[in-house]
Amino acid sequence: MTLFEKIFELAKKLSKAITEDKDLRDVDAANIFSDEAIKHIKQHLSEEEIKKNLELLNKIDKENGWKEIENRISQDGKVKTKKRLSTSSFFKVAAVFVLLISLAYITFKNPSNTKLLDVEQVNITAGTDKAILTLTDGVDVVLEKGKPFKKGSVHSDGNRLEYSKDNSNSKTEFNYLTIPRGGQYQIILSDSTILWLNADTKIKYPVSFVEGRPRIVELVYGEAYFQVSPSTKNQGAVFKVVTNTQEVEVIGTEFNIKAYDNERYIFTTLVEGQVNIVVDENKLQLRPGEQSILNIESKGITKHKVNIDYDIAWVRGYFNFKNKPLKDIMKVLSRWYDVDITFESHDLEEVNFSGLLNRKHNINDILNGIKNTNFINAYEIKNKTITIK
């Protein structure tokens, strides 16, 4: 069995394990690689290691890397024998293999059989750093890469917006930051609190917080990740995040709020510290690893333990989904790629999906990966509307 044949055999086993929600390190690789090789390969097959490998892979010049590999492989799939691979070199090859498998970490759980159809190839690229800053006087400023901006205590290098502390004004003045579909942006408030804002998001915040008063930020709609500067560094001033239906009292430091105006629920996920969720007269306390779910209509609220990696992956540059219906996945993709996505059949909306995807990939790469799993027939792109078939 050639090296390529071994790789593809293990790939089939990995795909089956992913589909069945098994730990990749439990994959039976008997009769494929040696016991020593299996031991080293499996060290790279945990979910945490795959994410690390994906981050490393982004730094690799893959085009030149493939050219080098092609130069070393003969047409029959065997490595050229000019120089025998050492054991350590083989393990490096195995590690690269795991990186490549990570790129294709897209799976579906649906037993139906489908037939692939030809699709129109339209290049829709991933989102970028961009935002619209609305100043106190109502003037809108477009922020994007390569366009620096500075006015008073606020400046932007094109990638993020930053406010310096200004104690000269006792009057609270507000700015708005709006992130369009297909965008993301980072902002550092005057108290050194850092916010990551996802696509289709809007926030309202003070230009400078007034000493002795609560630090209040309004998430008008959308999704934001907060790394809050502690009260001990701000004369004891508490930090609050308000939406139209809930208030978050921040005791700890890091959390994510997802509150899109076209969805029925608000999700608050605590990463570090402690927060209280206040809805009318009710208060719910969250600890690290817990998530609250607020029903906007009924005002009912619950909390449960979660794997926070799935909720904050977007901050780290990934989509990370676990058993999510395709209709929910497509909502996320539509915001990031600024497209409209429809389904030809309601059954397709309920296809469950698990996947770790890089937000830098264009949407054709992602949709082709979905199509090649044989759980959708095809997709069609016309202008900026995608139809799943």
Side-chain angles (χ1 to χ4, degrees):
M1 188 182 291
T2 68
L3 177 60
F4 274 12
E5 288 170 338
K6 289 181 179 182
I7 285 176
F8 282 117
E9 183 64 27
L10 183 54
K12 286 191 290 185
K13 289 178 178 285
L14 288 174
S15 299
K16 187 174 186 295
I18 292 169
T19 303
E20 295 176 355
D21 268 343
K22 292 181 179 178
D23 190 320
L24 299 183
R25 290 168 295 182
D26 294 335
V27 171
D28 179 13
N31 301 319
I32 301 178
F33 294 106
S34 67
D35 291 341
E36 185 179 11
I38 292 169
K39 176 183 176 182
H40 285 263
I41 290 171
K42 286 188 175 183
Q43 291 176 356
H44 298 274
L45 295 182
S46 68
E47 188 172 344
E48 181 179 352
E49 286 299 317
I50 284 177
K51 284 190 291 186
K52 290 180 181 177
N53 290 338
L54 276 170
E55 292 172 359
L56 290 173
L57 192 60
N58 286 333
K59 300 176 183 178
I60 296 174
D61 185 343
K62 291 183 278 297
E63 183 176 350
N64 289 330
W66 272 116
K67 288 180 180 177
E68 183 178 346
I69 291 172
E70 289 171 357
N71 290 334
R72 297 186 57 201
I73 297 176
S74 62
Q75 291 182 352
D76 62 357
K78 295 180 180 179
V79 178
K80 291 182 179 178
T81 56
K82 287 184 178 179
K83 183 178 179 182
R84 188 176 181 274
L85 285 175
S86 65
T87 301
S88 60
S89 296
F90 175 81
F91 294 148
K92 290 179 182 178
V93 171
V96 171
F97 157 68
V98 173
L99 294 177
L100 296 174
I101 286 294
S102 300
L103 280 178
Y105 191 50
I106 303 171
T107 60
F108 284 88
K109 298 175 185 177
N110 187 314
S112 62
N113 294 319
T114 56
K115 180 181 179 182
L116 297 182
L117 303 176
D118 291 333
V119 296
E120 180 184 353
Q121 295 296 312
V122 178
N123 186 32
I124 297 176
T125 56
T128 58
D129 293 330
K130 56 185 176 183
I132 299 173
L133 170 65
T134 303
L135 300 172
T136 306
D137 57 8
V139 172
D140 287 340
V141 179
V142 176
L143 305 175
E144 56 188 4
K145 191 173 182 178
K147 291 186 177 180
F149 167 79
K150 180 173 177 58
K151 183 176 181 179
S153 62
V154 57
H155 71 274
S156 171
D157 60 2
N159 297 312
R160 71 178 183 183
L161 189 66
E162 186 169 359
Y163 288 79
S164 58
K165 197 166 186 177
D166 182 6
N167 296 324
S168 62
N169 193 350
S170 60
K171 179 183 177 182
T172 303
E173 297 181 339
F174 294 94
N175 283 179
Y176 289 85
L177 195 64
T178 304
I179 316 302
R181 286 161 57 97
Q184 64 180 7
Y185 220 75
Q186 186 185 82
I187 177 173
I188 302 178
L189 302 179
S190 64
D191 67 340
S192 298
T193 290
I194 305 174
L195 281 70
W196 288 261
L197 305 177
N198 209 346
D200 197 16
T201 296
K202 184 175 184 177
I203 62 165
K204 176 185 177 181
Y205 53 92
V207 173
S208 183
F209 294 104
V210 178
E211 288 190 16
R213 297 182 186 177
R215 296 170 290 157
I216 300 176
V217 171
E218 180 182 354
L219 179 59
V220 182
Y221 59 79
E223 183 171 22
Y225 183 86
F226 294 80
Q227 190 176 79
V228 177
S229 177
S231 299
T232 53
K233 293 184 179 181
N234 292 275
Q235 293 75 47
V238 299
F239 193 97
K240 296 182 179 182
V241 181
V242 299
T243 69
N244 60 350
T245 51
Q246 75 171 26
E247 179 179 291
V248 178
E249 297 176 346
V250 182
I251 302 170
T253 54
E254 296 191 34
F255 56 98
N256 190 82
I257 302 179
K258 184 179 180 182
Y260 283 102
D261 55 6
N262 59 349
E263 295 189 359
R264 295 176 54 194
Y265 301 96
I266 294 178
F267 299 87
T268 305
T269 308
L270 183 62
V271 178
E272 290 183 11
Q274 182 179 319
V275 298
N276 292 325
I277 312 298
V278 181
V279 182
D280 294 335
E281 301 299 321
N282 301 315
K283 181 180 291 189
L284 181 70
Q285 187 178 92
L286 293 185
R287 297 196 178 277
E290 292 183 336
Q291 179 185 80
S292 67
I293 303 176
L294 171 65
N295 186 312
I296 297 175
E297 295 178 0
S298 69
K299 301 295 182 68
I301 187 169
T302 60
K303 72 173 181 177
H304 58 283
K305 277 281 192 181
V306 296
N307 182 338
I308 60 174
D309 288 339
Y310 295 106
D311 293 277
I312 68 171
W314 68 271
V315 179
R316 299 169 179 170
Y318 302 101
F319 302 110
N320 200 354
F321 304 114
K322 183 74 168 180
N323 294 334
K324 289 289 186 181
L326 192 55
K327 63 181 179 181
D328 293 343
I329 302 300
M330 291 303 166
K331 285 182 181 178
V332 175
L333 297 181
S334 67
R335 295 187 189 110
W336 181 236
Y337 293 97
D338 189 17
V339 294
D340 295 320
I341 302 179
T342 61
F343 292 86
E344 202 169 64
S345 145
H346 288 299
D347 291 339
L348 289 172
E349 297 181 11
E350 302 304 325
V351 173
N352 286 332
F353 171 98
S354 294
L356 179 63
L357 311 171
N358 193 316
R359 280 163 63 98
K360 293 181 181 178
H361 289 167
N362 68 49
I363 198 149
N364 292 91
D365 292 336
I366 291 178
L367 292 176
N368 281 328
I370 294 172
K371 190 191 73 169
N372 290 337
T373 61
N374 290 350
F375 294 116
I376 65 173
N377 287 324
Y379 67 90
E380 181 181 58
I381 302 179
K382 289 186 178 179
N383 296 322
K384 299 193 76 172
T385 298
I386 298 172
T387 302
I388 306 297
K389 299 182 178 182

